[in-house]
Amino acid sequence: MNTSKTRLRNSNYAEASASICKSVLSQRVCNIGILLVTSAQIANALPVYEPFSYPVGTQIAQKNLGTGWAAPWTSLIGNGSIDANAGSLSYPAASVSGNKMFFEGTPGSGINTYLFRQLSAPLIEGHTYYISFLAQNLNEGRQFFGLSLYTDSGEELLIGQSSYSPNWTVNRLSGLDSTVGVLVSNVDSSKPAMLLVKLDMRSGAEKVTFWVNPILSKAENGSAPQGGTSFLTKEDLGSVLGVRVGGGGYRNGINPTNHFMDEIRIDEKSPFADTRDFDGDGLNNYEEIHVYKTNPNKADTDGDTLTDGNEVLKLKTNPLVFTKWITSDLSILKLKLGKDMLRYKLTTNIGANRFTATGLPSGLKMNIETGVISGKPTKKGTFKVALTAKNKSNVTVHGVILIKVS
């Protein structure tokens, strides 16, 4: 990243944030210090997270939970209410906690209710960000509602519900060609949903991709955007300084706008499944982290010499619990009549020091201290041999091997 350019754009972060205070926060939150932004600071400020884990029924205004924020939520602007409501909205493969936000509009036309919150470091060009939250329209209200991004130029993006559609949308994009319109999904806002925007911030036009109810268990390119194709803004958005939540009241005196919102997240890390397999154990990174809770960088999480993939896919054992096991090959052992067999050693993952083998063909024997089977078979046939190994603590493992003499 061009640090000098970033400093040029963002050394004015304090002044731009103060400008937001004066223009859209009605000077209610204006305690800003000087900040020069570097890539390290961006990394340290992420992820941004707001779980809305406030006591049920309390106003969220001036509350300060979550991470990645420079200050609490502002005082409430408008005549509606934004309070904490019991329980979380949920979505497959998304972690949730605490309570949720309840927005209630105010009867009347054009009466809006907002809260603003400043990021601890701005979102800057040269980075890709994933912005998501959970939401639900409770009563078919048709006024706008959602989460907006703010830059030093004002509101650039509203993710949520517009005043023009009953479906989830992305709109109010600065510089967007009027012939393109808003990105409208095919998902009605009365249903609980995850809204996700991928924002590629580049020098010049930014790239925006919109999903509603993305399939997080798939790789990103396997979960098609539902809001239309990605598009480019017509101008450089600069730096994103903060967010606004809230919306309108009644439209034409009817249809109140009441909504839930939950789990606001902003991160450079994609929420989609990472289908790479860092440790080569047969489970992809997403499966290891989100499904089996194993270590994606360690092929054998529990240290039992069995790979996580083998335990899950073949042995049907728990990859998080040390499985006491015979680790030597138990497939068919093929020998020739009267010929010295190749050395076979019974091995385990319990540190065994006593071994037995029952049912060996004549001519073969096992060393009870080393677990080595040796000799010349003197009889043809297929022999089912029961193997046992025991350690000093009398922990015992068992197995079976077929020996075929021809």
Side-chain angles (χ1 to χ4, degrees):
M1 181 178 70
N2 189 325
T3 303
S4 62
K5 187 171 183 179
T6 302
R7 287 178 175 268
L8 179 64
R9 170 163 289 169
N10 295 290
S11 62
N12 199 29
Y13 179 45
E15 295 178 15
S17 298
S19 174
I20 287 182
C21 285
K22 294 175 183 177
S23 62
V24 299
L25 304 189
S26 303
Q27 301 185 18
R28 298 189 186 197
V29 176
C30 293
N31 183 18
I32 312 293
I34 299 298
L35 177 63
L36 299 181
V37 180
T38 66
S39 290
Q41 286 172 300
I42 294 298
N44 291 335
L46 296 173
V48 174
Y49 179 47
E50 170 56 273
F52 294 109
S53 299
Y54 306 107
V56 174
T58 61
Q59 294 185 7
I60 292 172
Q62 299 183 330
K63 297 298 189 297
N64 195 30
L65 289 182
T67 58
W69 307 101
W73 290 101
T74 63
S75 298
L76 191 71
I77 299 173
N79 297 320
S81 63
I82 299 180
D83 301 326
N85 186 270
S88 294
L89 296 179
S90 62
Y91 186 73
S95 59
V96 299
S97 63
N99 295 314
K100 58 184 177 291
M101 186 192 95
F102 174 57
F103 168 85
E104 186 170 16
T106 303
S109 178
I111 300 177
N112 304 322
T113 302
Y114 307 121
L115 290 175
F116 294 84
R117 201 165 188 190
Q118 180 190 336
L119 300 174
S120 59
L123 311 184
I124 61 174
E125 72 177 40
H127 294 251
T128 295
Y129 300 97
Y130 294 85
I131 303 154
S132 68
F133 59 93
L134 308 179
Q136 181 182 5
N137 179 349
L138 299 177
N139 49 10
E140 299 184 356
R142 291 295 175 257
Q143 262 287 19
F144 73 93
F145 169 84
L147 180 144
S148 299
L149 303 183
Y150 267 85
T151 73
D152 51 8
S153 299
E155 182 185 23
E156 299 289 356
L157 182 81
L158 173 68
I159 310 165
Q161 180 184 307
S162 73
S163 300
Y164 312 105
S165 172
N167 292 357
W168 294 116
T169 65
V170 170
N171 70 338
R172 297 188 182 178
L173 295 148
S174 176
L176 182 64
D177 190 327
S178 60
T179 61
V180 176
V182 300
L183 291 183
V184 181
S185 76
N186 59 7
V187 181
D188 190 289
S189 64
S190 65
K191 307 296 183 183
M194 170 177 272
L195 281 64
L196 172 64
V197 162
K198 179 182 180 182
L199 179 62
D200 292 303
M201 297 188 67
R202 305 175 295 187
S203 178
E206 326 291 6
K207 184 178 180 181
V208 178
T209 309
F210 179 44
W211 289 266
V212 178
N213 294 333
I215 305 173
L216 299 180
S217 59
K218 290 185 177 182
E220 181 174 319
N221 58 9
S223 183
Q226 293 197 42
T229 57
S230 303
F231 64 91
L232 302 181
T233 59
K234 288 187 66 177
E235 60 185 37
D236 192 334
L237 299 186
S239 301
V240 175
L241 309 178
V243 303
R244 184 196 75 185
V245 297
Y250 280 50
R251 183 183 182 195
N252 299 325
I254 59 174
N255 294 332
T257 298
N258 295 345
H259 284 76
F260 286 143
M261 178 183 285
D262 203 1
E263 301 295 323
I264 298 174
R265 299 177 188 272
I266 304 175
D267 202 352
E268 287 190 273
K269 181 180 178 181
S270 170
F272 288 101
D274 182 353
T275 55
R276 295 171 295 178
D277 182 4
F278 283 165
D279 55 16
D281 63 1
L283 302 177
N284 67 43
N285 297 345
Y286 176 89
E287 291 172 325
E288 298 227 44
I289 295 170
H290 297 286
V291 179
Y292 302 109
K293 313 301 181 185
T294 49
N295 188 339
N297 297 302
K298 186 177 180 181
D300 177 17
T301 296
D302 57 15
D304 60 7
T305 73
L306 305 170
T307 67
D308 298 335
N310 276 337
E311 292 212 55
V312 168
L313 302 174
K314 295 180 180 179
L315 302 176
K316 310 301 181 185
T317 54
N318 188 340
L320 297 176
V321 177
F322 189 98
T323 303
K324 302 176 181 68
W325 208 262
I326 290 177
T327 57
S328 50
D329 188 3
L330 294 179
S331 56
I332 294 178
L333 187 60
K334 296 180 179 181
L335 307 178
K336 292 292 185 181
L337 184 68
K339 298 287 185 178
D340 278 319
M341 66 175 290
L342 295 176
R343 185 175 184 270
Y344 178 88
K345 179 177 175 60
L346 180 60
T347 59
T348 73
N349 61 4
I350 63 169
N353 62 347
R354 287 291 183 271
F355 305 88
T356 61
T358 303
L360 286 171
S362 58
L364 300 185
K365 64 180 180 179
M366 169 177 272
N367 186 312
I368 62 173
E369 294 181 350
T370 65
V372 173
I373 299 175
S374 60
K376 298 178 181 179
T378 60
K379 185 178 180 180
K380 293 182 179 180
T382 299
F383 303 85
K384 185 176 181 179
V385 180
L387 304 172
T388 301
K390 182 185 298 186
N391 65 16
K392 292 180 180 179
S393 300
N394 287 323
V395 175
T396 304
V397 292
H398 303 275
V400 174
I401 188 172
L402 292 179
I403 298 179
K404 185 174 182 180
V405 181
S406 60

